[in-house]
């Protein structure tokens, strides 16, 4: 059955104030109202501000080609998570509106992804009104309601200095819990997430400088002998962790933890389960081997199998 179209609420987006862009290097200040002329050969009196400006060396113009230079043998990676969280509406559920759900893409450490992502396009089932949803600011997510499960296409577009290619991802929306998870509950959602790492080989120098200290990025050390130019105003812009991260997200309590320590704990628990299962199979095998073997005789015509 197709899901009836509904008027979707606009995708949720965090409000943020853009970080101020540092002003370019100022040219020498020329005052239109000149002070009274000084005696011949005497140095005119300067204010403290004029002296400060005078003492600063002029910045040489930056070479744009140098900032677009590719860094060979260097890779920058960003761990990402994409998925859905769905809540059963309980008594408010109807035949065609049983769940409210959110699809999203986030950093694996819940840091700001807008440092690399320019916009995200979510392609919903065609039965939805306006099934192509574009989100151009973090958090990169949208919320909807309905009754059916379907595959959601997620397309990431990156900033021009990051990558010209887009990234296509696909995620299956899941509304109903597995049988062994118990009955549906309005308090416990169904969470399905996928972890992945986006790797950018041979990044530009501008991209490297911009994300080298970003908490969501995995940036290696430069190869021996490789040097970078001085960072410009864009690279000096501080990364405010509180701007667009998802640590304070209303759904963050349901996010999976994909840290290395958590993964090691999961691997250790899985290993214990496997070892317990192997021990159980060995006990069963020992019991079977200890049972007396029953002789079986191939029966002739008119005789039943195993009987004389």
């Amino acid at each position: 059955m197709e899901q009836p179209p509904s008027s979707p609420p606009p995708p949720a987006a965090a409000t943020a104030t853009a970080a101020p862009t540092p002003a370019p290097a100022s040219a020498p200040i020329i005052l239109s109202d000149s002070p009274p002329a000084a005696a011949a050969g005497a140095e005119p009196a300067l204010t403290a501000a004029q002296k400060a400006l005078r003492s600063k060396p002029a910045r040489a113009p930056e070479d744009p080609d140098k900032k677009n230079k590719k860094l060979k043998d260097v890779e920058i990676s960003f761990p990402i998570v994409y998925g859905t969280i769905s809540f059963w509406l309980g008594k408010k559920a109807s035949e065609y509106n049983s769940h409210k759900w959110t699809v999203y893409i986030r950093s694996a450490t819940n840091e700001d992804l807008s440092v690399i992502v320019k916009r995200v396009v979510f392609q919903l089932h065609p039965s939805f009104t306006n099934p192509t949803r574009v989100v151009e600011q973090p958090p990169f997510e949208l919320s909807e309601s309905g009754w059916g499960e379907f595959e959601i296409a997620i397309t990431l577009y990156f900033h021009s200095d990051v990558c010209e290619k887009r990234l296509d991802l696909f995620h299956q929306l899941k509304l109903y819990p597995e049988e062994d998870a118990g009955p549906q509950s309005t308090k416990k959602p169904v969470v399905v997430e996928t972890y992945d790492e986006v790797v950018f080989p041979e990044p530009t120098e501008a991209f490297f400088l911009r994300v080298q200290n970003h908490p969501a990025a995995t940036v290696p050390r430069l190869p021996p002998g490789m040097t970078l130019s001085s960072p410009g105003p864009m690279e000096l812009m501080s990364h405010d962790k509180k701007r667009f991260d998802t640590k304070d997200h209303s759904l963050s309590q349901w996010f999976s933890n994909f840290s290395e320590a958590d993964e090691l704990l999961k691997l250790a628990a899985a290993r214990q389960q496997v070892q317990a299962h192997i021990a159980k199979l060995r006990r069963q095998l020992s019991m079977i081997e200890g049972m007396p073997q029953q002789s079986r005789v191939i029966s002739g015509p008119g005789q039943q199998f195993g009987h004389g």
Side-chain angles (χ1 to χ4, degrees):
M1 294 176 63
E2 287 192 350
Q3 183 158 336
S6 58
S7 298
T15 57
T17 303
T21 303
S26 301
I29 298 177
I30 301 176
L31 302 178
S32 58
D33 295 328
S34 302
E43 177 103 9
L46 298 178
T47 65
Q50 287 175 313
K51 290 180 180 179
L53 286 172
R54 191 176 179 182
S55 63
K56 290 183 179 179
R59 176 180 293 176
E62 296 183 7
D63 185 358
D65 293 334
K66 191 171 184 180
K67 287 299 181 69
N68 293 328
K69 180 184 67 176
K70 296 283 188 178
L71 302 180
K72 302 293 184 181
D73 302 322
V74 176
E75 289 184 346
I76 297 177
S77 64
F78 277 78
I80 63 170
V81 176
Y82 55 96
T84 51
I85 296 180
S86 60
F87 286 88
W88 180 48
L89 297 179
K91 295 181 180 180
K92 297 180 181 179
S94 63
E95 182 179 1
Y96 297 111
N97 192 34
S98 59
H99 293 76
K100 181 178 180 180
W101 50 266
T102 300
V103 58
Y104 53 87
I105 179 165
R106 63 179 179 86
S107 162
T109 54
N110 295 321
E111 302 291 349
D112 175 21
L113 271 185
S114 65
V115 69
I116 57 170
V117 177
K118 184 177 182 179
R119 68 179 181 272
V120 177
V121 178
F122 297 95
Q123 187 65 45
L124 307 182
H125 191 272
S127 61
F128 281 87
T129 302
N130 184 23
T132 302
R133 311 286 178 86
V134 182
V135 181
E136 295 184 332
Q137 62 180 346
F140 297 107
E141 64 179 40
L142 69 88
S143 297
E144 261 293 357
S145 60
W147 61 271
E149 298 178 342
F150 58 93
E151 185 178 65
I152 302 174
I154 308 172
T155 304
L156 275 63
Y157 293 88
F158 303 100
H159 294 295
S160 58
D161 68 335
V162 177
C163 183
E164 295 181 356
K165 296 181 180 179
R166 71 183 192 186
L167 176 62
D168 294 318
L169 305 169
F170 299 91
H171 180 78
Q172 182 68 30
L173 170 64
K174 189 171 182 60
L175 305 180
Y176 303 93
E178 300 292 343
E179 293 182 0
D180 56 357
Q184 292 190 98
S185 171
T186 57
K187 296 182 179 181
K188 184 179 180 181
V190 175
V191 183
V192 180
E193 293 190 321
T194 301
Y195 172 92
D196 209 339
E197 291 187 9
V198 184
V199 179
F200 301 100
E202 298 186 358
T204 62
E205 183 174 316
F207 177 35
F208 186 94
L209 289 169
R210 191 158 57 83
V211 302
Q212 61 180 338
N213 296 320
H214 196 280
T218 303
V219 182
R221 292 186 177 180
L222 293 176
M226 182 178 291
T227 58
L228 301 178
S229 61
S230 301
M234 187 175 184
E235 289 74 37
L236 289 176
M237 184 175 64
S238 62
H239 300 292
D240 186 355
K241 294 183 179 181
K242 294 298 182 182
R243 285 183 63 201
F244 299 131
D245 63 26
T246 52
K247 291 185 176 67
D248 298 326
H249 196 285
S250 60
L251 301 176
S252 61
Q253 60 176 317
W254 307 111
F255 289 162
S256 301
N257 186 358
F258 291 97
S259 66
E260 293 184 3
D262 187 66
E263 290 299 306
L264 289 174
L265 290 176
K266 289 181 179 179
L267 288 173
R271 183 179 180 183
Q272 291 179 352
Q273 291 180 355
V274 171
Q275 290 176 342
H277 188 61
I278 291 175
K280 181 179 178 181
L281 292 176
R282 284 177 175 173
R283 290 194 298 269
Q284 293 177 349
L285 184 60
S286 299
M287 293 177 61
I288 293 174
E289 292 177 346
M291 296 174 61
Q293 296 183 356
Q294 298 181 356
S295 59
R296 296 182 176 180
V297 180
I298 299 178
S299 60
Q303 292 181 325
Q304 294 182 351
F305 183 81
H307 295 275

